[in-house]
Amino acid sequence: MDLYEYQGKQYFARFDIPVSPGATADTVEEAVAVAERIGYPVVVKAQVQVGGRGKAGGVKLASDRDEAEAHARSILGLDIKGHVVRRVWIERASDIAREYYASFTLDRSAKDHLCMVSARGGVDIEQVAAEEPGAIARRHVDPLDGFGIEEARAVVAEAGLDEEARDGAAEVLVKLYRCYVEGDADLVEINPLVLTPDGRVHALDAKVTLDDSAAFRHPEWAEWANLEELDPRDRLAREKGLQYVGLDGYVGIIANGAGLAMSTCDVVEQVGGKPANFLDVGGGASADVMASALEVINTDEKVKAIFVNIFGGITRGEEVANGIVQALGRVDIAAPIVIRLDGTNAEQGRAILEEHGSDRVLSLPTMLEAARRATELAGGVVR
Ligand code: GDP
Ligand code: MN
């Protein structure tokens, strides 16, 4: 789950990472009231889960009530890269001497945590990485070794942060690592981490991605989960407990097991089609689960055909087939369905599908044939 900046800052504050005091507002009136309470100058910031808000006019400084009102009015309702601003965060404006970058994330290929620090903060870090990779100091962190003040000092020095910022930045890094590990995050990023003219170092922005697999030990995350910006398909899938990722194509995909679901997407691509989604119904394929999966896919207007790819293992073919048939009875599906059923008792399963199937439901024995047919039915060009 991605957090909004203000939520990320609340999370940072729990780990004692210095952030500016502030509050959210959903209307211009509220925004003015908050600004008056905080005292000027304030900064009014669009709360959307997309970067580059500053450049898009979503971050503005206000030195009095009139400016706060004008900025709140221009930012609320603003469309930033397709995200409409419904809420602003208003905080006491900071004086900035220097802007840096700091983050921890998981480096999957190195199988370690990765700390990154740069003296070139405030700007898009991907751009820095592309133009001047040497400007980012990187340090892998073995979770068993941890990350203490010594490591923090080393990476801050390597990044070439200004002398007067080094102690403060190193302290922030140690706290940021704790936030990342104890806070069960996949990513914590501060851009910019600023040095103020009076020598303090603190976080002006917050990007936090929480590890959803750890949600069970963080009941306090629930209030944030409700506010998360989700595509309607993602929201429905989550409500139904399905592993769903929306994509841009036109062949809806349902498979059991994440590996099979990924291979299914690959095979559809390989024959020239475009997957509309990744959807893993899990190990089994009961009628309930299949019905939910079909329901989610059915809400996607881009889907012109559905490819159901199930490999019977512990769940036997005839159970899967019965599940699919029952699900078809419950959900009125707009697109034709191509089913490839294999594995344990596949023959019996296919016989059941044949018996109950209509001309809108087709069973094919191999993944490749099924992928081709689904792509054709969806109006795609098969290679
Ligand atoms: P982003 O563009 O979405 O990453 O939003 P940020 O929160 O990083 O803000 C963008 C830029 O606005 C920062 O890099 C700063 O230069 C500027 N900014 C943000 N907060 C303040 C502040 O309190 N004071 C000043 N002077 N500038 C700020
Ligand atoms: Mn930023």
Side-chain angles (χ1 to χ4, degrees):
M1 165 171 57
D2 291 330
L3 297 187
Y4 289 95
E5 175 198 3
Y6 75 94
Q7 297 167 339
K9 283 180 169 167
Q10 288 167 5
Y11 214 48
F12 282 176
R14 283 188 210 168
F15 294 90
D16 203 26
I17 296 165
V19 291
S20 305
T24 59
D26 298 348
T27 64
V28 174
E29 295 69 40
E30 260 186 273
V32 172
V34 167
E36 291 281 308
R37 198 170 72 228
I38 291 172
Y40 302 97
V42 295
V43 53
V44 183
K45 309 185 74 175
Q47 295 303 290
V48 282
Q49 291 178 343
V50 63
R53 294 166 301 158
K55 274 189 206 148
V59 177
K60 287 184 170 161
L61 291 166
S63 52
D64 57 33
R65 182 188 179 107
D66 286 351
E67 278 184 5
E69 182 174 345
H71 293 338
R73 202 176 292 286
S74 75
I75 294 174
L76 283 165
L78 184 69
D79 185 317
I80 301 180
K81 301 177 189 168
H83 300 244
V84 177
V85 182
R86 301 274 171 232
R87 175 168 283 183
V88 290
W89 165 254
I90 298 173
E91 68 178 29
R92 188 62 175 266
S94 306
D95 286 333
I96 302 175
R98 296 294 302 263
E99 301 192 40
Y100 310 123
Y101 172 94
S103 69
F104 284 93
T105 190
L106 192 64
D107 182 344
R108 289 172 204 277
S109 41
K111 298 178 185 157
D112 261 335
H113 300 309
L114 177 65
C115 171
M116 288 191 276
V117 176
S118 177
R120 284 192 53 194
V123 293
D124 186 3
I125 197 68
E126 277 81 19
Q127 195 185 326
V128 177
E131 287 171 3
E132 203 188 329
I136 303 172
R138 296 158 203 267
R139 192 183 177 102
H140 282 105
V141 183
D142 184 322
L144 296 178
D145 297 338
F147 185 90
I149 195 72
E150 294 305 317
E151 289 77 15
R153 288 214 172 95
V155 68
V156 159
E158 192 193 325
L161 264 54
D162 304 83
E163 282 296 343
E164 61 268 43
R166 290 190 184 182
D167 285 348
E171 277 171 35
V172 167
L173 270 189
V174 172
K175 291 170 180 171
L176 189 62
Y177 181 72
R178 273 195 52 217
C179 174
Y180 171 70
V181 173
E182 292 170 30
D184 281 315
D186 283 335
L187 167 74
V188 288
E189 183 186 79
I190 308 177
N191 188 23
L193 174 71
V194 299
L195 171 68
T196 62
D198 57 358
R200 288 173 305 117
V201 173
H202 77 270
L204 269 207
D205 194 4
K207 186 167 169 189
V208 175
T209 304
L210 299 173
D211 175 1
D212 291 323
S213 306
F216 70 94
R217 53 184 176 213
H218 296 278
E220 79 280 9
W221 289 0
E223 62 171 296
W224 289 338
N226 296 331
L227 294 170
E228 205 183 359
E229 267 182 41
L230 283 182
D231 162 321
R233 298 175 298 171
D234 289 316
R235 188 172 293 281
L236 184 63
R238 197 166 292 193
E239 279 166 17
K240 303 277 183 192
L242 299 168
Q243 296 298 326
Y244 176 93
V245 180
L247 302 168
D248 294 328
Y250 47 78
V251 179
I253 285 170
I254 298 175
N256 64 333
L260 186 61
M262 278 190 265
S263 314
T264 309
C265 290
D266 286 349
V267 169
V268 167
E269 288 267 357
Q270 192 190 322
V271 302
K274 288 269 169 266
N277 64 275
F278 163 101
L279 199 167
D280 167 18
V281 291
S286 68
D288 275 350
V289 169
M290 284 307 303
S292 301
L294 287 168
E295 215 179 308
V296 169
I297 295 210
N298 208 30
T299 59
D300 187 342
E301 284 169 9
K302 296 194 306 302
V303 170
K304 300 298 178 235
I306 301 171
F307 178 6
V308 179
N309 192 5
I310 302 289
F311 192 89
I314 294 168
T315 317
R316 297 189 311 272
E318 71 271 24
E319 291 172 37
V320 173
N322 282 325
I324 294 172
V325 169
Q326 280 181 42
L328 291 173
R330 280 197 240 163
V331 189
D332 190 17
I333 308 295
I337 302 177
V338 181
I339 301 170
R340 175 260 185 168
L341 179 59
D342 210 338
T344 315
N345 294 358
E347 293 294 327
Q348 285 106 302
R350 277 184 226 137
I352 291 168
L353 289 173
E354 218 103 302
E355 204 176 299
H356 294 264
S358 68
D359 54 348
R360 309 268 297 157
V361 181
L362 197 77
S363 166
L364 287 172
T366 73
M367 226 162 123
L368 199 58
E369 285 168 89
R372 286 208 176 103
R373 184 57 66 83
T375 300
E376 265 167 22
L377 287 172
V381 179
V382 175
R383 285 204 270 274

